[in-house]
Amino acid sequence: MINPRERNLKGIYRVFPLLAEKNVDMKKEILAGLTTFLTMAYIIAVNPNILSKTGMDAGALVTATCLAAAIGCFLMGFIADLPFALASGMGLNAFFAFTVVLKGKISWETALTAVLIEGVIFIFLTLFKIREAVVNSIPINIKHAVTGGIGVFIAFIGFSGCGLIVANEATKISMGQMTPAVGIAAIGLFIIAILDKKRIRGSILYGIAVSSLIAWIYAFINPQAAADLQIYLPKGIFKFESIAPIAGKIDFSIFFDLKNIGNFFVIVCTFLFVDFFDTLGTLIGVCSKANMLDEDGKVPNVGRALLADSLGTTVGALLGVSTVTTYVESSMGVMAGGRTGWTAVTTGVLFLVAMFFSPIFISIPACATAPALIYVGYLMLSSLKEIDLHDVTEGLPAFITITTMALTYSIGDGLTLGILSYVLINLFYNIFAKKDEKRSVSMIMVILGVLFLIKLIFM
């Protein structure tokens, strides 16, 4: 969708609307981009760690992860003019490594081929505006619920990242011990809250920076105890690895393997589904919180945003990484004031820089980014006041969306259950309701409900 203000743009400005932006507060946009980058820099370490278990070269994966993220951010910034960052998706990389390659006995080259096919399919779905139609069909209350759900979800990630919440076999989760990591996260959270209350720009960034410094000092004083809490000093400053061992390793021989082609199709569909609705939920949730939805409750430039996401996945597969997707951590930059594509471009530039300084960014511990996740989670809960909880046909699906995002540890699954419950509740209500009280449920929502039900039963 082209934003109304872009319709008079011509030439290069129509292709790259970011270049037509005027009166931009570049200081705020750069600060927002830096904030987003710091909260998602963990992917530089985590993605290679997960994907290397398939036999892929770990050093090459560090460079490819940074490069794919940078390209994805540039596409989002220049094409869609939105402040969203992209990188290899968490969950999707684990599915790639542990389910597809290790459990499924499929080569990582074939798995990359599945990611490439997914990206190409998404490009066509986007160009034919199928993905855009899905985004626009979702009711406004569900959109607000997605924002609140993402808030609970990222706060949960923050609490578990610093160790305040831990796994428990008896109760599923429970409160952890009051370790130095929890203390460091608490200090960072207090810093962010106080600075934000004082309306000091960059409060989230300051919180991350101070928490990181405290964590590194602790690692210097007591390295063994710090290591037990996953806190490490940077192992150097400069490092660069070639992507040659993994780039361009696409294997199309699977199309001639009649025995495994069916399984390959299921893998592609799984990548498609998870990426589609994770991205969908992130775009809706972050735009809603930033008051970027238009008067009809639609995401601005959603078609271009989805195209950037699709192209990012395609390029990422060619570089040698799993599905590239829009990151929920983009909400950190939005909360820091990012409103244009310059935020995404800044994040992209920092990923390029990180290719050469990866030891520093890899060493930012989870307890240092936890305060940002927790605080932004709190801010995103403000969207709940927009939901009509007194109307069960609207409130119950919203509640299911919010709670299941965190409890399933998946934005896509939470949105799936929310949409499915909305369709079922409203269709059954319409059976018994008076004619003038029947609820309008769009055909796209009904189709989504049927597809989700099939997925839950058979996949």
Side-chain angles (χ1 to χ4, degrees):
M1 181 182 79
I2 303 297
N3 203 330
R5 67 179 177 77
E6 293 178 19
R7 287 176 179 154
N8 295 324
L9 297 180
K10 297 180 180 179
I12 192 171
Y13 297 112
R14 188 169 182 80
V15 178
F16 303 116
L18 175 63
L19 301 179
E21 284 282 4
K22 297 179 180 179
N23 301 318
V24 177
D25 187 338
M26 288 303 297
K27 182 178 179 180
K28 182 181 289 187
E29 296 290 328
I30 292 172
L31 184 62
L34 177 58
T35 302
T36 296
F37 172 76
L38 289 177
T39 55
M40 62 184 288
Y42 66 85
I43 196 63
I44 300 172
V46 175
N47 200 50
N49 179 267
I50 292 175
L51 296 184
S52 63
K53 298 185 187 310
T54 66
M56 302 175 76
D57 184 274
L61 281 167
V62 171
T63 303
T65 297
C66 291
L67 192 56
I71 293 173
C73 290
F74 292 153
L75 288 169
M76 183 65 76
F78 283 108
I79 293 177
D81 192 14
L82 289 171
F84 303 135
L86 294 86
S88 296
M90 290 295 294
L92 287 164
N93 52 9
F95 175 76
F96 179 103
F98 301 117
T99 302
V100 177
V101 178
L102 298 179
K103 184 179 179 181
K105 308 297 183 183
I106 289 177
S107 69
W108 59 264
E109 292 90 345
T110 300
L112 282 177
T113 306
V115 175
L116 177 67
I117 298 300
E118 174 218 346
V120 172
I121 292 174
F122 267 163
I123 289 174
F124 282 103
L125 289 177
T126 303
L127 292 177
F128 286 103
K129 298 189 176 182
I130 295 175
R131 295 178 82 186
E132 184 175 340
V134 172
V135 176
N136 293 335
S137 71
I138 295 177
I140 189 65
N141 277 315
I142 295 294
K143 289 179 178 177
H144 289 311
V146 168
T147 304
I150 289 176
V152 176
F153 176 56
I154 63 175
F156 180 79
I157 294 173
F159 285 125
S160 60
C162 69
L164 185 61
I165 293 176
V166 297
N168 185 301
E169 289 187 7
T171 61
K172 306 303 181 185
I173 60 172
S174 63
M175 185 171 174
Q177 298 180 346
M178 292 297 103
T179 63
V182 175
I184 291 169
I187 292 172
L189 182 59
F190 292 149
I191 290 173
I192 293 173
I194 293 170
L195 293 182
D196 193 41
K197 180 65 175 178
K198 295 290 186 180
R199 300 186 181 280
I200 295 176
R201 285 186 182 181
S203 59
I204 294 174
L205 181 58
Y206 289 134
I208 296 172
V210 172
S211 296
S212 296
L213 289 174
I214 295 173
W216 290 337
I217 291 172
Y218 177 64
F220 179 77
I221 295 172
N222 194 340
Q224 184 56 53
D228 292 339
L229 297 172
Q230 304 297 308
I231 299 173
Y232 306 95
L233 285 170
K235 296 179 180 179
I237 299 176
F238 304 102
K239 191 174 184 180
F240 179 79
E241 302 276 0
S242 170
I243 63 172
I246 60 173
K249 306 296 184 179
I250 304 298
D251 181 11
F252 290 108
S253 63
I254 186 67
F255 293 106
F256 305 100
D257 185 351
L258 299 180
K259 182 180 178 181
N260 293 313
I261 188 65
N263 186 40
F264 179 80
F265 175 75
V266 172
I267 291 168
V268 172
C269 288
T270 303
F271 277 131
L272 274 168
F273 185 89
V274 176
D275 187 23
F276 191 126
F277 289 99
D278 271 5
T279 299
L280 180 65
T282 300
L283 288 175
I284 292 172
V286 178
C287 280
S288 174
K289 177 57 189 173
N291 294 319
M292 294 173 65
L293 298 177
D294 64 19
E295 60 274 10
D296 297 319
K298 297 179 180 179
V299 177
N301 296 342
V302 64
R304 288 170 172 252
L306 294 171
L307 180 60
D309 184 87
S310 306
L311 291 171
T313 289
T314 306
V315 172
L318 294 173
L319 291 173
V321 295
S322 54
T323 304
V324 172
T325 188
T326 306
Y327 259 58
V328 68
E329 282 83 358
S330 301
S331 57
M332 310 299 170
V334 170
M335 293 300 101
R339 290 295 182 274
T340 75
W342 288 117
T343 294
V345 171
T346 300
T347 303
V349 170
L350 291 171
F351 268 112
L352 289 181
V353 173
M355 289 194 301
F356 304 95
F357 297 92
S358 58
I360 295 176
F361 298 111
I362 287 174
S363 64
I364 296 175
C367 62
T369 56
L373 293 168
I374 295 167
Y375 194 73
V376 171
Y378 148 72
L379 294 176
M380 295 188 78
L381 279 181
S382 64
S383 66
L384 300 189
K385 69 179 185 293
E386 305 295 336
I387 301 173
D388 184 6
L389 294 174
H390 299 290
D391 183 347
V392 69
T393 62
E394 296 285 338
L396 183 55
F399 171 76
I400 292 172
T401 302
I402 294 164
T403 53
T404 56
M405 278 192 183
L407 297 177
T408 62
Y409 210 78
S410 169
I411 295 172
D413 287 345
L415 183 58
T416 295
L417 294 171
I419 290 176
L420 180 58
S421 63
Y422 181 91
V423 172
L424 291 176
I425 289 171
N426 279 276
L427 288 181
F428 277 106
Y429 172 81
N430 286 344
I431 294 174
F432 303 101
K434 297 178 181 178
K435 186 175 182 180
D436 59 341
E437 295 179 352
K438 291 182 183 293
R439 299 305 180 93
S440 175
V441 182
S442 72
M443 184 54 63
I444 293 179
M445 286 289 286
V446 173
I447 293 172
L448 286 176
V450 172
L451 292 176
F452 291 162
L453 194 59
I454 293 172
K455 173 187 178 292
L456 293 174
I457 295 174
F458 297 105
M459 294 182 69

